């Protein structure tokens, strides 16, 4: 039993959230996460998953995990830093370094943990961080945990970044520019060429979190490869939880940098990592993404994305600034957004309504994420449902 005032207090806070429509209703998956899945008891086309390359239920990932589980057991036993990690992590680190084209790499329990631990580890009091206003929440938390000064620049706006760089130049020991490679709400790509140029001019460190770009852009290597600036990124951050279909965070950099982070990032030092079987699946996922087959999956992903985005625009929907398989339908009204998402689900199409405070008021939207495994039938079914209910609700 909790104290009565505690129950009452959080009951009231919860009620406020419910009244503001800021509550997540959690769906129940009853099948593997795929382009189609059984959700809350019905078979649906899934447009709500980060599983871009359809690897989450890949038999080879499962097989690799089973073999590693037989060899190493299930649990990791303790925090990697204290009790050591299974040898398979060495192979995984080498593979990540090959993938990110860096000297060295390090895995973290999650992508969130990379940012929450690394940012406070690499900057200190007397440093300044310049951060895109739409950066992922884990970056924002990592910045808050650091002792560095924080300056926010306008979303994907190199000229505002330059203004801010001018303002801070010479006043701090180090400057760190942090950006998502691909932004998860709009599906737009950070202007990394311009950002990298500014980083060079102002001798700033560049940190790119490419969670939604890996496996999608630059032949799978991500947004820095796509824009030809891999060499200019000091901290290459990513996750296995999206296109790679698994779980766990990663960072690539030079040996000294990685070794330093390994010894200073508290989310690495004080939090137990994923089981060795997950490491084996992650290794397999990277092998697939870096192979010819991976390129073929990426080609299908983009083909599907073009088809679906054109289809939505043909109906009259506003897909905003999308440049990637994240294709939002901007509605600009919380109630209509929720209602459209509900109606789509009733038609067998699973999408996520994204409303304030996740996005600014007036830009409420449904976020669609296309998958390499979607068939034309899947996409046509989704488009037909969008057209029917978009018209019914007066959105198009
Ligand atoms: C999803 C995401 C993360 C978190 O990754 P997890 O592995 O799910 O913890 C971090 N950064 C960005 C930019 C993301 O999109």
């Amino acid at each position: 039993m909790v104290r009565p005032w505690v129950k009452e207090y959080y009951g009231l806070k919860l009620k406020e959230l419910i009244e503001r429509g800021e509550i997540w209703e959690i769906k129940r998956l009853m099948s593997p996460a795929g382009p189609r899945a059984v959700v809350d008891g019905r078979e649906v086309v899934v447009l709500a998953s980060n599983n871009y390359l359809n690897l989450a239920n890949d038999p080879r990932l499962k097989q690799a995990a089973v073999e590693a589980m037989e060899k190493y057991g299930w649990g990791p036993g303790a925090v990697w830093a204290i009790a050591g990690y299974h040898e398979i992590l060495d192979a995984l680190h080498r593979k990540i370094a090959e993938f990110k084209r860096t000297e060295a790499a390090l895995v973290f329990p999650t992508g969130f943990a990379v940012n929450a631990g690394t940012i406070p580890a690499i900057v200190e009091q007397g440093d300044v961080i310049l951060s895109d206003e739409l950066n992922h929440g884990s970056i924002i938390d990592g910045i808050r945990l650091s002792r560095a000064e924080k300056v926010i620049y306008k979303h994907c706006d190199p000229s505002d970044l330059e203004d801010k760089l001018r303002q801070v130049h010479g006043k701090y020991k180090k400057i760190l520019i942090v950006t998502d490679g691909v932004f998860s709400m709009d599906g737009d790509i950070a202007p990394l060429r311009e950002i990298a140029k500014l980083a060079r001019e102002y001798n700033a460190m560049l940190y790119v979190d490419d969670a939604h770009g890996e496996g999608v852009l630059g032949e799978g290597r991500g947004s820095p490869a796509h824009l030809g600036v891999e060499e200019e990124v000091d901290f290459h951050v990513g996750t296995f939880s999206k296109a790679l279909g698994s779980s766990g965070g990663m960072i690539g950099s030079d040996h000294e940098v990685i070794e330093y982070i390994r010894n200073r990032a508290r989310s690495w030092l004080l939090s137990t990592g994923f089981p060795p079987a997950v490491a084996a699946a992650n290794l397999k996922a990277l092998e697939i993404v870096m192979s010819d087959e991976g390129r073929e999956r990426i080609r299908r992903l983009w083909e599907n994305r073009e088809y679906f985005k054109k289809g939505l625009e043909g109906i009259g929907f506003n897909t905003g600034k999308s440049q990637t398989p994240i294709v939002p339908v901007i509605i600009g009204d919380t109630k209509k957004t929720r209602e459209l998402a509900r109606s789509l689900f009733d038609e067998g199409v699973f999408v996520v309504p994204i409303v304030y405070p996740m996005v600014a008021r007036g830009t409420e939207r449904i976020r669609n994420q296309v998958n390499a495994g979607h068939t034309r039938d899947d996409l046509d079914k989704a488009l037909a449902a969008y057209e029917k209910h978009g018209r019914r609700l007066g959105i198009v």
Side-chain angles (χ1 to χ4, degrees), residues 50 52 108-115 134-139 179-185 208-213 237-242 246-250 326 367:
N50 299 318
Y52 297 110
F108 275 72
T110 63
F112 195 106
V114 180
N115 291 327
L134 295 187
N135 274 342
H136 189 262
S138 55
I139 291 176
T179 183
D180 285 17
V182 170
F183 290 85
S184 58
M185 295 300 161
V208 178
D209 177 350
D210 206 28
H212 285 278
V237 170
T239 178
F240 286 96
S241 67
K242 289 172 181 158
S246 185
S247 172
M250 60 175 120
I326 298 173
R367 176 172 65 171

Side-chain angles (χ1 to χ4, degrees), residues 164-365:
K164 304 270 149 80
L165 277 164
R166 260 194 229 107
Q167 287 164 25
V168 302
H169 189 63
K171 300 199 179 102
Y172 295 89
K173 269 200 321 245
K174 302 197 295 296
I175 304 172
L176 176 68
I177 302 171
V178 186
T179 183
D180 285 17
V182 170
F183 290 85
S184 58
M185 295 300 161
D186 290 288
D188 51 340
I189 304 170
L192 291 177
R193 257 184 228 136
E194 293 78 2
I195 293 175
K197 180 166 170 279
L198 290 170
R200 222 176 316 143
E201 280 171 26
Y202 288 86
N203 200 24
M205 305 188 287
L206 180 52
Y207 184 112
V208 178
D209 177 350
D210 206 28
H212 285 278
E214 295 159 331
V216 172
L217 289 165
E219 297 208 304
R221 291 180 191 277
S223 48
H226 173 67
L227 293 169
V229 295
E230 276 173 301
E231 291 284 317
E232 315 222 23
V233 176
D234 300 290
F235 306 92
H236 289 264
V237 170
T239 178
F240 286 96
S241 67
K242 289 172 181 158
L244 291 154
S246 185
S247 172
M250 60 175 120
I251 180 166
S253 188
D254 278 6
H255 284 297
E256 295 82 353
V257 178
I258 290 297
E259 195 58 27
Y260 184 77
I261 292 168
R262 195 207 300 282
N263 283 283
R264 298 305 294 174
R266 291 165 66 81
S267 58
W268 201 86
L269 293 168
L270 302 174
S271 182
T272 300
F274 45 71
V278 174
N282 290 352
L283 186 54
K284 184 56 75 178
L286 277 180
E287 281 171 17
I288 295 171
V289 169
M290 291 163 76
S291 70
D292 287 345
E293 181 199 327
R295 273 185 284 283
E296 173 55 23
R297 280 175 186 255
I298 293 164
R299 195 191 58 72
R300 283 208 304 275
L301 172 67
W302 280 91
E303 202 176 88
N304 281 345
R305 180 264 180 193
E306 295 305 320
Y307 183 79
F308 190 65
K309 182 167 180 283
K310 279 211 186 79
L312 286 172
E313 286 166 358
I315 298 166
F317 286 108
N318 170 12
T319 59
K321 294 177 288 187
S322 167
Q323 298 173 279
T324 63
I326 298 173
V327 184
V329 159
I330 315 267
I331 294 160
D333 178 291
T334 298
K335 265 184 71 185
K336 278 188 184 173
T337 302
R338 286 191 186 284
E339 169 132 20
L340 180 57
R342 252 193 307 272
S343 302
L344 290 171
F345 191 79
D346 290 341
E347 302 273 347
V349 180
F350 180 19
V351 294
V352 186
I354 310 250
V355 300
Y356 181 84
M358 273 178 295
V359 292
R361 285 190 212 280
T363 72
E364 293 82 0
R365 69 198 59 193

Side-chain angles (χ1 to χ4, degrees), residues 87-161:
E87 57 188 344
I88 191 166
L89 257 70
D90 286 329
L92 181 57
H93 287 146
R94 279 195 298 274
K95 201 70 187 173
I96 296 168
E98 192 188 328
F99 177 59
K100 296 279 189 191
R101 293 194 173 122
T102 54
E103 271 183 28
L106 184 65
V107 284
F108 275 72
T110 63
F112 195 106
V114 180
N115 291 327
T118 302
I119 296 172
I122 58 176
V123 290
E124 55 207 348
Q125 203 153 27
D127 294 337
V128 63
I129 303 170
L130 284 91
S131 175
D132 186 290
E133 65 181 330
L134 295 187
N135 274 342
H136 189 262
S138 55
I139 291 176
I140 296 170
D141 284 11
I143 292 172
R144 281 193 187 136
L145 287 170
S146 82
R147 293 177 194 279
E149 206 63 54
K150 166 185 79 175
V151 177
I152 307 293
Y153 65 88
K154 288 196 191 120
H155 178 54
C156 287
D157 185 341
S159 80
D160 190 51
L161 173 59

